[in-house]
Amino acid sequence: MTSSTKFFMKTTQLILLMLALSALASCTCCDREERQAKARERQGIIMANVVVEEPLSAGAQLYRDKTCNTCHGDDGIKSLLPNYPIIAQQGEEYALQQMLDIKSGNRAAGQSAAMKPIVQSVTDEEFAILAQFIATELGQGKAIGSGNPDPASPGGKLFKSKTCVACHGKDGKTPVLKAYPKIAGLSAEYAKMQMLDIKNGARANSQAVLGMKGIMHLVSEEEINHLADYIATLPR
Ligand code: HEC
Ligand code: HEC
């Protein structure tokens, strides 16, 4: 074979190879287009017939199934009655202990009787899931507290002078211990009721609360009203 014949044959092989490759490429290309069209079609059918809903987390599902939302609101903020607590973004450890105490009857003051029968069927494991959900998911990103707290207001001054800050934090949401509540943003009605119950001893479900009771005898009912108004303005 002459070298020019060899060259000719090599070139022909190369061209054939390229043709085969391009045919293959265009083929997979139409396949892909066809598949995409089919997928779009299927999606269209799904979109047309079903309301696509995000699956709920285990905690969110329990919160609904156990009807917690009927009293505490879908977001844990808009509660059924003003003297029911805002529970969204409450500390996990505190929330868990309170739920257990309400179930057992250890915490029986205020409006606890409303919640007690509802939670008799809730297990310890479910409470743990709910507490984590309350702390990390419920009402996340939503504003809690009416805002514009005024430290120079009567309530603002008392919050400091009556040493509330020592346990609940300057901002009312950084308690010294995880077992202590975040009180920032609670409704004035609920906060007032709890302070009165702690002062008169009706709410005595923990050793810790006895620490607060110790200072509440130095706080008058009028001062409690001012403190409650101030707490309601603090952002949580
Ligand atoms: C029938 C109404 C009702 C239902 C249903 C209910 N709660 Fe409550 N819950 C209350 C009331 C009222 C209180 C406050 C009791 C008091 O006055 O001391 C409370 C207190 C709490 C607290 C403590 C709040 C705090 O700041 O101390 C948590 C946490 C809580 N509930 C979570 C739940 C969860 C989770 C569910 C569902 C398993 C639930 N609740 C179902 C009415 C209800
Ligand atoms: C020695 C620590 C301590 C001090 C000081 C203290 N508290 Fe408390 N407070 C607690 C603890 C602990 C609880 C929760 C009790 C429990 O575990 O049931 C609580 C509960 C509350 C609650 C109810 C929270 C809820 O979600 O139910 C309010 C409102 C409150 N405190 C306001 C105040 C105010 C206002 C002051 C100052 C006058 C104050 N506290 C001083 C420890 C303290």
Side-chain angles (χ1 to χ4, degrees):
M1 249 189 274
T2 64
S3 66
S4 67
T5 324
K6 264 192 201 159
F7 175 74
F8 175 74
M9 281 180 71
K10 278 239 171 88
T11 319
T12 319
Q13 272 171 1
L14 201 67
I15 289 169
L16 281 173
L17 187 70
M18 279 166 71
L19 278 173
L21 278 176
S22 75
L24 204 68
S26 69
C27 184
T28 52
C29 168
C30 359
D31 268 347
R32 200 193 311 141
E33 265 173 13
E34 234 169 77
R35 276 201 305 274
Q36 280 174 351
K38 282 220 175 94
R40 273 197 298 273
E41 204 178 300
R42 274 199 301 274
Q43 220 169 19
I45 292 165
I46 292 169
M47 301 284 268
N49 292 332
V50 196
V51 181
V52 182
E53 229 179 297
E54 291 259 316
L56 292 178
S57 67
Q61 191 70 52
L62 271 176
Y63 188 72
R64 243 194 229 179
D65 290 350
K66 302 290 178 186
T67 70
C68 317
N69 58 335
T70 57
C71 290
H72 294 293
D74 284 339
D75 53 12
I77 300 169
K78 282 182 272 326
S79 49
L80 184 64
L81 293 175
N83 62 359
Y84 283 9
I86 289 169
I87 60 170
Q89 296 163 53
Q90 184 53 270
E92 182 173 345
E93 215 173 284
Y94 170 77
L96 178 61
Q97 192 55 52
Q98 299 307 307
M99 291 189 285
L100 294 172
D101 283 354
I102 289 171
K103 180 181 177 180
S104 71
N106 195 21
R107 174 173 167 182
Q111 303 289 313
S112 305
M115 174 161 152
K116 192 182 178 193
I118 311 284
V119 290
Q120 291 311 305
S121 70
V122 183
T123 66
D124 286 2
E125 200 192 349
E126 288 170 332
F127 277 131
I129 295 171
L130 282 163
Q132 198 193 24
F133 166 73
I134 288 169
T136 61
E137 272 186 60
L138 187 62
Q140 276 300 311
K142 295 201 175 170
I144 302 177
S146 60
N148 297 322
D150 180 5
S153 66
K157 284 186 190 152
L158 287 164
F159 196 61
K160 214 172 159 192
S161 65
K162 300 291 179 182
T163 71
C164 318
V165 290
C167 291
H168 293 291
K170 261 190 212 154
D171 54 7
K173 63 174 177 182
T174 46
V176 278
L177 292 177
K178 283 181 182 165
Y180 291 8
K182 292 183 186 176
I183 57 172
L186 288 172
S187 70
E189 292 87 343
Y190 173 79
K192 181 184 173 188
M193 183 177 67
Q194 296 306 312
M195 284 188 273
L196 289 172
D197 280 350
I198 291 169
K199 179 180 161 89
N200 68 29
R203 179 173 170 184
N205 52 313
S206 69
Q207 279 300 311
V209 83
L210 299 180
M212 175 163 156
K213 185 177 188 234
I215 66 140
M216 288 313 285
H217 74 276
L218 304 169
V219 185
S220 71
E221 190 165 341
E222 199 196 337
E223 288 170 328
I224 285 179
N225 286 336
H226 287 311
L227 282 163
D229 287 342
Y230 179 69
I231 288 168
T233 65
L234 289 170
R236 187 177 296 181

